Amino acid sequence: MATITAPVPTGAARTQRRRASGSASWVTYLVAFAFVGICIAPVLYIIIGGFRTNSEITTDPSGFPSTWQLGNYLDVLESSIFWQQVGNSAIAGISTTIGVVVLGVAASFVLARYRFNARGALYALFAAGLMFPMTVAITPLYILIKNLGLMNSLPGIILPQIAFALPTTIIILVPFLQAIPKEIEEAASIDGASRLGFFFRMVVPLSVPGVVTVGILAFIASWNSYMLPLFVLNDETAYTLPLGVQAFASQYSVDTARVLAFTSLSMIPALIFFSLFERRIVGGLTGAVKG
């Protein structure tokens, strides 16, 4: 019986393939660097603009400072209202993260490990929450917060942020908890562990990558939240940083350099936080997809 063998590529063919793959990779890198530049350019402009004077910004908006002015940043850092707004954002972000993690892990554990009639409906309800943005619910949410007496207070923005972050949290965590082998749960049951014992001793440690991911996402979303604080908070001392930037820009509209410095300092913590935990976020989302 005759066998058909594939033709062995010649040296010229190999060289042509290498050149084609090399040119394709260069095009990919070029496009990637172009997108990175588009994303980074506005951030660099704001940061560098804080080191310039107003006359330099008016004369040459896209230029570099002739002499680097630290006074704009120092004036913002010496402002007590800036640090108060940083504290408000930190409190709101940490509280939102804790609430999202605790409630999200508990709800995900029930949906992933228990079998009951309404399980599919509940999971579909949380999944539908991903298609329900806060902007749609802002009016009834405002009325509810007002009736609860939470206006102009951090709990008035923390509780809704937890609620709106739960759908994403559950969608990410449920695959993690479903991937835990049944044999581990059976072994823990044989060793005398209760369901709560299994949850705290086995489920929580094994789901740390997913928990870290949802925690980081919840913190960054809370830190950057603007619309909800805009409706709930009406006192400058209770403002979070996004509202503080708007108020500062309105108050010092003619001092563009100080406004850019304030904006730079308000976004740097979120950038640093996201950069430090970027691998955690990607790893957690990858694990959720695999699960």
Side-chain angles (χ1 to χ4, degrees):
M1 182 176 180
T3 58
I4 299 176
T5 57
V8 179
T10 63
R14 292 196 194 98
T15 304
Q16 188 175 3
R17 288 181 182 178
R18 290 195 193 99
R19 288 177 180 175
S21 61
S23 61
S25 63
W26 276 109
V27 171
T28 303
Y29 279 114
L30 183 63
V31 173
F33 279 120
F35 278 109
V36 171
I38 292 173
C39 295
I40 293 180
V43 178
L44 292 178
Y45 176 81
I46 294 173
I47 295 174
I48 294 174
F51 290 101
R52 307 175 70 194
T53 61
N54 291 317
S55 59
E56 289 178 340
I57 295 175
T58 303
T59 304
D60 186 11
S62 60
F64 283 86
S66 56
T67 56
W68 295 78
Q69 304 289 332
L70 297 176
N72 297 322
Y73 285 94
L74 293 177
D75 289 342
V76 175
L77 292 174
E78 292 172 357
S79 173
S80 60
I81 193 67
F82 171 76
W83 292 109
Q84 191 166 12
Q85 291 169 359
V86 170
N88 292 337
S89 293
I91 292 172
I94 294 172
S95 301
T96 300
T97 302
I98 294 174
V100 167
V101 168
V102 172
L103 296 177
V105 173
S108 300
F109 176 71
V110 173
L111 292 174
R113 311 296 298 189
Y114 288 78
R115 296 292 180 266
F116 51 93
N117 293 332
R119 174 177 173 273
L122 284 176
Y123 188 78
L125 180 63
F126 281 111
L130 297 174
M131 300 178 289
F132 193 72
M134 188 177 293
T135 53
V136 176
I138 194 65
T139 300
L141 189 60
Y142 171 81
I143 297 173
L144 178 62
I145 293 173
K146 185 176 181 181
N147 291 337
L148 293 175
L150 298 177
M151 291 295 296
N152 198 36
S153 65
L154 291 180
I157 63 174
I158 292 171
L159 295 177
Q161 285 177 166
I162 293 174
F164 278 90
L166 279 178
T168 304
T169 302
I170 290 173
I171 295 299
I172 293 175
L173 288 182
V174 165
F176 269 96
L177 304 185
Q178 286 177 337
I180 299 176
K182 283 284 186 181
E183 290 77 8
I184 297 179
E185 185 174 0
E186 292 172 358
S189 178
I190 293 173
D191 290 339
S194 62
R195 289 185 174 179
L196 285 178
F198 171 72
F199 174 76
F200 287 109
R201 294 179 184 178
M202 302 299 297
V203 172
V204 174
L206 291 174
S207 60
V208 165
V211 170
V212 172
T213 299
V214 298
I216 295 170
L217 293 176
F219 182 86
I220 294 177
S222 174
W223 187 277
N224 295 329
S225 178
Y226 176 78
M227 177 161 293
L228 182 62
L230 178 65
F231 278 81
V232 176
L233 305 177
N234 51 38
D235 185 4
E236 190 174 7
T237 58
Y239 281 178
T240 55
L241 271 179
L243 286 184
V245 171
Q246 182 209 26
F248 191 87
S250 301
Q251 185 176 358
Y252 299 95
S253 57
V254 295
D255 195 349
T256 307
R258 287 185 65 186
V259 172
L260 293 177
F262 192 99
T263 306
S264 301
L265 292 173
S266 66
M267 69 181 178
I268 283 175
L271 290 175
I272 294 175
F273 190 81
F274 188 84
S275 300
L276 290 175
F277 294 99
E278 177 188 1
R279 291 185 179 179
R280 291 276 190 174
I281 296 174
V282 175
L285 293 177
T286 304
V289 173
K290 288 182 179 178

